[in-house]
Amino acid sequence: GNIPGIVPVMTTCTTDTDQQFENSCEVQCASPLIVIGGGCAVGGSLTESNHHPWRLTTSRPYKQGWKCLGGEDFESKVYHKNITAFALCVQPKIVQSNFPKPGETTVLETEVLVASTTGGGKKGPQFGTTLAAPCPAGYKLMSGGCDTTFQDKPNTHPWRLTNSYPDSNDWICEANEDFGSGLYHQTIAAYAVCAKWQSKFEYISFPPDLKTVTIQVGPERQFENECSVTCPNGYAVTGGGCQVSDSTNHHPWRLTYSYPHGNGWSCVAGEDFGSKVYHQDLTCHANCMKVVGP
């Protein structure tokens, strides 16, 4: 069965729809739990009459939880939507008596840190920036996120997220100008949520087995695409991300949803309103950790 206490627990927050152009939500893990991953679903749906639900601008670890920000796709005139933030939380220390055998006690301690990097800015690319946030030596990538809200002055249409996904032990972020907004040369940040373990499990080796599973959906749909991927049996999702196929132009598709769903990850991405970039592939990534004991 599962190692007691090792499976992440999900907690959420959802805003109301009082804000016209953008909204944000911050969810925190219940003490003493610590955050190991998270994601966001921003307002609107694929049934919107113009196929342009709100776009995601921030999905990142924040304190011991997750922070989400999203808003209207410039000139789409889709207003007053809600946002849901998801945090995946774990026990920092597990002490289990009579496991795995009667009379035995096992101890597992999890240490989590967030590694971040920033790039772009006034001397960076005009239309978009890509960054990688690596985990330090000795740590394993659990999840990650991105933030685009470092503009010089308040703006209801900051750069929107194009890619946010795991790549080996790095977290990759790409953000681009919201088509037509005229906001260029922006600073963005990438965040990697990294973990290492100390264990007195006699029968289980740590770090646990970690794997990333992916699924790609094709470009048949014109305006938007969606995908979901599930961790294999015996594994629990710790994080995940989304990757669009075409980053060769200035305005690739933008992300709307990137969040834990069931024991896996779900993504929605679509055309940046007015860009006329259609029929894109979309890849879902789920980071999965083995949770089955002897």
Side-chain angles (χ1 to χ4, degrees):
N2 291 345
I3 301 169
I6 196 173
V7 176
V9 176
M10 185 167 68
T11 185
T12 66
C13 69
T14 301
T15 68
D16 56 27
T17 59
D18 59 329
Q19 299 299 311
Q20 180 175 357
F21 292 103
E22 64 180 5
N23 219 329
S24 63
C25 199
E26 299 172 5
V27 62
Q28 295 296 311
C29 297
S31 180
L33 302 183
I34 57 177
V35 69
I36 203 169
C40 308
V42 300
S45 70
L46 297 183
T47 61
E48 294 289 352
S49 59
N50 61 3
H51 303 284
H52 295 92
W54 278 16
R55 78 284 186 279
L56 186 60
T57 57
T58 296
S59 174
R60 55 160 289 192
Y62 182 71
K63 299 179 180 178
Q64 286 302 336
W66 211 261
K67 179 178 182 179
C68 301
L69 175 68
E72 183 220 14
D73 193 343
F74 186 71
E75 292 296 330
S76 68
K77 296 182 172 57
V78 177
Y79 306 129
H80 297 288
K81 298 298 179 181
N82 60 18
I83 292 179
T84 301
F86 303 77
L88 295 171
C89 312
V90 295
Q91 291 280 357
K93 185 175 183 178
I94 300 169
V95 179
Q96 183 67 33
S97 300
N98 298 315
F99 182 85
K101 294 182 178 181
E104 296 183 349
T105 298
T106 58
V107 179
L108 172 64
E109 295 183 71
T110 303
E111 177 187 340
V112 174
L113 65 79
V114 176
S116 64
T117 185
T118 58
K122 293 181 179 179
K123 295 183 179 180
Q126 180 176 356
F127 292 101
T129 295
T130 300
L131 292 177
C135 286
Y139 288 80
K140 299 295 185 180
L141 180 71
M142 297 286 100
S143 66
C146 314
D147 196 339
T148 73
T149 57
F150 294 88
Q151 66 273 13
D152 295 330
K153 58 184 178 181
N155 187 294
T156 54
H157 296 93
W159 279 14
R160 77 295 189 287
L161 298 184
T162 295
N163 287 316
S164 178
Y165 66 95
D167 181 17
S168 186
N169 215 36
D170 297 354
W171 195 264
I172 306 299
C173 294
E174 181 183 355
N176 298 77
E177 182 222 10
D178 193 349
F179 184 84
S181 67
L183 192 66
Y184 306 130
H185 300 289
Q186 294 300 289
T187 300
I188 72 169
Y191 301 84
V193 182
C194 313
K196 68 178 181 179
W197 298 265
Q198 293 184 355
S199 172
K200 294 181 181 178
F201 284 96
E202 295 183 15
Y203 303 94
I204 307 169
S205 62
F206 276 83
D209 184 41
L210 304 168
K211 61 177 60 180
T212 300
V213 294
T214 63
I215 190 171
Q216 184 179 73
V217 293
E220 293 82 8
R221 294 163 67 166
Q222 180 175 356
F223 292 102
E224 72 283 310
N225 223 329
E226 58 187 326
C227 60
S228 294
V229 65
T230 301
C231 291
N233 291 337
Y235 289 75
V237 66
T238 65
C242 312
Q243 181 182 7
V244 300
S245 62
D246 184 7
S247 298
T248 61
N249 62 71
H250 294 318
H251 298 95
W253 278 15
R254 80 291 191 285
L255 303 182
T256 293
Y257 299 168
S258 178
Y259 71 104
H261 179 69
N263 191 32
W265 207 261
S266 290
C267 301
V268 172
E271 182 220 11
D272 190 350
F273 184 79
S275 68
K276 298 183 180 179
V277 177
Y278 306 131
H279 298 289
Q280 298 294 288
D281 293 332
L282 177 64
T283 302
C284 280
H285 302 252
N287 275 10
C288 307
M289 176 176 67
K290 189 174 183 180
V291 294
V292 175

Short mmCIF file of all heavy atoms in Angstrom, two decimals, residues 16-43:
data_model
loop_
_atom_site.label_atom_id
_atom_site.label_comp_id
_atom_site.label_asym_id
_atom_site.label_seq_id
_atom_site.Cartn_x
_atom_site.Cartn_y
_atom_site.Cartn_z
N ASP A 16 -14.56 35.29 -6.70
CA ASP A 16 -15.83 35.62 -7.34
C ASP A 16 -15.55 36.30 -8.67
O ASP A 16 -14.41 36.29 -9.15
CB ASP A 16 -16.69 36.49 -6.42
CG ASP A 16 -15.98 37.76 -5.97
OD1 ASP A 16 -15.08 38.23 -6.70
OD2 ASP A 16 -16.33 38.29 -4.90
N THR A 17 -16.53 36.90 -9.28
CA THR A 17 -16.38 37.49 -10.62
C THR A 17 -16.54 39.00 -10.60
O THR A 17 -16.99 39.60 -11.57
CB THR A 17 -17.41 36.87 -11.58
OG1 THR A 17 -18.73 37.11 -11.08
CG2 THR A 17 -17.18 35.38 -11.74
N ASP A 18 -16.16 39.65 -9.49
CA ASP A 18 -16.39 41.09 -9.38
C ASP A 18 -15.39 41.93 -10.18
O ASP A 18 -15.67 43.09 -10.50
CB ASP A 18 -16.35 41.52 -7.91
CG ASP A 18 -15.02 41.19 -7.25
OD1 ASP A 18 -14.39 40.19 -7.66
OD2 ASP A 18 -14.61 41.92 -6.32
N GLN A 19 -14.23 41.38 -10.53
CA GLN A 19 -13.22 42.14 -11.23
C GLN A 19 -13.44 42.05 -12.75
O GLN A 19 -13.64 40.97 -13.29
CB GLN A 19 -11.83 41.62 -10.89
CG GLN A 19 -11.48 41.72 -9.41
CD GLN A 19 -11.48 43.15 -8.90
OE1 GLN A 19 -10.89 44.03 -9.51
NE2 GLN A 19 -12.16 43.38 -7.78
N GLN A 20 -13.37 43.20 -13.43
CA GLN A 20 -13.68 43.22 -14.86
C GLN A 20 -12.58 42.63 -15.72
O GLN A 20 -12.84 41.76 -16.57
CB GLN A 20 -13.98 44.63 -15.34
CG GLN A 20 -14.32 44.72 -16.83
CD GLN A 20 -14.72 46.12 -17.27
OE1 GLN A 20 -14.80 47.04 -16.47
NE2 GLN A 20 -14.98 46.29 -18.56
N PHE A 21 -11.33 43.10 -15.53
CA PHE A 21 -10.25 42.76 -16.47
C PHE A 21 -9.35 41.63 -16.00
O PHE A 21 -8.78 40.92 -16.83
CB PHE A 21 -9.39 43.99 -16.75
CG PHE A 21 -10.09 45.06 -17.53
CD1 PHE A 21 -10.56 46.20 -16.90
CD2 PHE A 21 -10.27 44.93 -18.90
CE1 PHE A 21 -11.21 47.19 -17.63
CE2 PHE A 21 -10.90 45.91 -19.63
CZ PHE A 21 -11.39 47.05 -18.99
N GLU A 22 -9.15 41.50 -14.69
CA GLU A 22 -8.23 40.48 -14.19
C GLU A 22 -8.61 40.11 -12.78
O GLU A 22 -9.35 40.84 -12.10
CB GLU A 22 -6.78 40.97 -14.24
CG GLU A 22 -6.50 42.16 -13.34
CD GLU A 22 -5.06 42.62 -13.42
OE1 GLU A 22 -4.30 42.08 -14.24
OE2 GLU A 22 -4.69 43.52 -12.65
N ASN A 23 -8.10 38.97 -12.33
CA ASN A 23 -8.41 38.50 -10.98
C ASN A 23 -7.25 37.66 -10.49
O ASN A 23 -6.44 37.16 -11.28
CB ASN A 23 -9.70 37.69 -10.97
CG ASN A 23 -10.56 37.97 -9.75
OD1 ASN A 23 -10.02 38.28 -8.69
ND2 ASN A 23 -11.87 37.86 -9.90
N SER A 24 -7.16 37.49 -9.17
CA SER A 24 -6.08 36.68 -8.60
C SER A 24 -6.59 35.90 -7.41
O SER A 24 -7.58 36.28 -6.77
CB SER A 24 -4.90 37.56 -8.16
OG SER A 24 -5.29 38.45 -7.13
N CYS A 25 -5.90 34.79 -7.12
CA CYS A 25 -6.26 33.95 -5.98
C CYS A 25 -4.98 33.36 -5.40
O CYS A 25 -4.08 32.96 -6.15
CB CYS A 25 -7.21 32.84 -6.43
SG CYS A 25 -8.15 32.08 -5.08
N GLU A 26 -4.89 33.34 -4.08
CA GLU A 26 -3.77 32.75 -3.37
C GLU A 26 -4.29 31.72 -2.38
O GLU A 26 -5.15 32.03 -1.56
CB GLU A 26 -2.97 33.82 -2.63
CG GLU A 26 -2.36 34.89 -3.54
CD GLU A 26 -1.75 36.03 -2.76
OE1 GLU A 26 -1.71 35.93 -1.50
OE2 GLU A 26 -1.33 37.01 -3.38
N VAL A 27 -3.78 30.50 -2.48
CA VAL A 27 -4.20 29.43 -1.57
C VAL A 27 -2.98 28.97 -0.79
O VAL A 27 -1.88 28.89 -1.33
CB VAL A 27 -4.86 28.27 -2.35
CG1 VAL A 27 -3.89 27.63 -3.33
CG2 VAL A 27 -5.42 27.23 -1.39
N GLN A 28 -3.17 28.68 0.49
CA GLN A 28 -2.08 28.26 1.36
C GLN A 28 -2.35 26.87 1.93
O GLN A 28 -3.50 26.50 2.22
CB GLN A 28 -1.89 29.25 2.51
CG GLN A 28 -1.44 30.63 2.08
CD GLN A 28 -0.07 30.62 1.44
OE1 GLN A 28 0.88 30.05 1.99
NE2 GLN A 28 0.06 31.26 0.30
N CYS A 29 -1.28 26.09 2.07
CA CYS A 29 -1.40 24.78 2.71
C CYS A 29 -1.71 24.96 4.19
O CYS A 29 -1.23 25.89 4.84
CB CYS A 29 -0.10 24.00 2.56
SG CYS A 29 0.34 23.61 0.85
N ALA A 30 -2.51 24.07 4.75
CA ALA A 30 -2.81 24.10 6.18
C ALA A 30 -1.56 23.68 6.96
O ALA A 30 -0.94 22.66 6.65
CB ALA A 30 -3.98 23.18 6.49
N SER A 31 -1.19 24.46 7.97
CA SER A 31 -0.03 24.14 8.80
C SER A 31 -0.24 22.79 9.47
O SER A 31 -1.36 22.46 9.90
CB SER A 31 0.15 25.23 9.85
OG SER A 31 1.25 24.95 10.67
N PRO A 32 0.78 21.94 9.53
CA PRO A 32 2.20 22.17 9.21
C PRO A 32 2.58 21.75 7.80
O PRO A 32 3.77 21.60 7.52
CB PRO A 32 2.90 21.30 10.24
CG PRO A 32 2.00 20.09 10.34
CD PRO A 32 0.60 20.63 10.22
N LEU A 33 1.61 21.51 6.92
CA LEU A 33 1.93 21.05 5.58
C LEU A 33 2.73 22.10 4.82
O LEU A 33 2.62 23.31 5.07
CB LEU A 33 0.65 20.72 4.81
CG LEU A 33 -0.29 19.67 5.42
CD1 LEU A 33 -1.46 19.41 4.48
CD2 LEU A 33 0.44 18.39 5.73
N ILE A 34 3.54 21.63 3.86
CA ILE A 34 4.35 22.52 3.02
C ILE A 34 3.99 22.27 1.56
O ILE A 34 3.60 21.18 1.17
CB ILE A 34 5.86 22.31 3.26
CG1 ILE A 34 6.26 20.85 3.00
CG2 ILE A 34 6.24 22.74 4.65
CD1 ILE A 34 7.75 20.58 3.13
N VAL A 35 4.12 23.32 0.75
CA VAL A 35 3.71 23.22 -0.65
C VAL A 35 4.77 22.47 -1.45
O VAL A 35 5.97 22.67 -1.27
CB VAL A 35 3.44 24.61 -1.25
CG1 VAL A 35 4.73 25.43 -1.40
CG2 VAL A 35 2.72 24.49 -2.58
N ILE A 36 4.30 21.60 -2.34
CA ILE A 36 5.20 20.86 -3.23
C ILE A 36 4.84 21.08 -4.70
O ILE A 36 5.60 20.74 -5.60
CB ILE A 36 5.19 19.37 -2.86
CG1 ILE A 36 6.48 18.68 -3.34
CG2 ILE A 36 3.96 18.66 -3.41
CD1 ILE A 36 6.65 17.28 -2.78
N GLY A 37 3.66 21.66 -4.94
CA GLY A 37 3.24 21.93 -6.32
C GLY A 37 1.93 22.68 -6.33
O GLY A 37 1.30 22.91 -5.30
N GLY A 38 1.51 23.08 -7.53
CA GLY A 38 0.25 23.80 -7.66
C GLY A 38 -0.02 24.20 -9.09
O GLY A 38 0.80 23.99 -9.99
N GLY A 39 -1.20 24.78 -9.30
CA GLY A 39 -1.59 25.19 -10.63
C GLY A 39 -2.78 26.13 -10.59
O GLY A 39 -3.27 26.48 -9.51
N CYS A 40 -3.27 26.50 -11.78
CA CYS A 40 -4.30 27.52 -11.89
C CYS A 40 -5.28 27.19 -13.01
O CYS A 40 -4.89 26.62 -14.04
CB CYS A 40 -3.70 28.90 -12.21
SG CYS A 40 -2.38 29.44 -11.11
N ALA A 41 -6.54 27.58 -12.80
CA ALA A 41 -7.55 27.55 -13.85
C ALA A 41 -8.19 28.93 -13.86
O ALA A 41 -8.83 29.33 -12.88
CB ALA A 41 -8.59 26.47 -13.58
N VAL A 42 -7.99 29.68 -14.94
CA VAL A 42 -8.51 31.05 -15.00
C VAL A 42 -9.83 31.08 -15.73
O VAL A 42 -10.18 30.16 -16.47
CB VAL A 42 -7.49 32.02 -15.65
CG1 VAL A 42 -6.21 32.06 -14.86
CG2 VAL A 42 -7.21 31.65 -17.08
N GLY A 43 -10.60 32.17 -15.51
CA GLY A 43 -12.00 32.22 -15.87
C GLY A 43 -12.30 32.07 -17.34
O GLY A 43 -11.49 32.36 -18.21
#
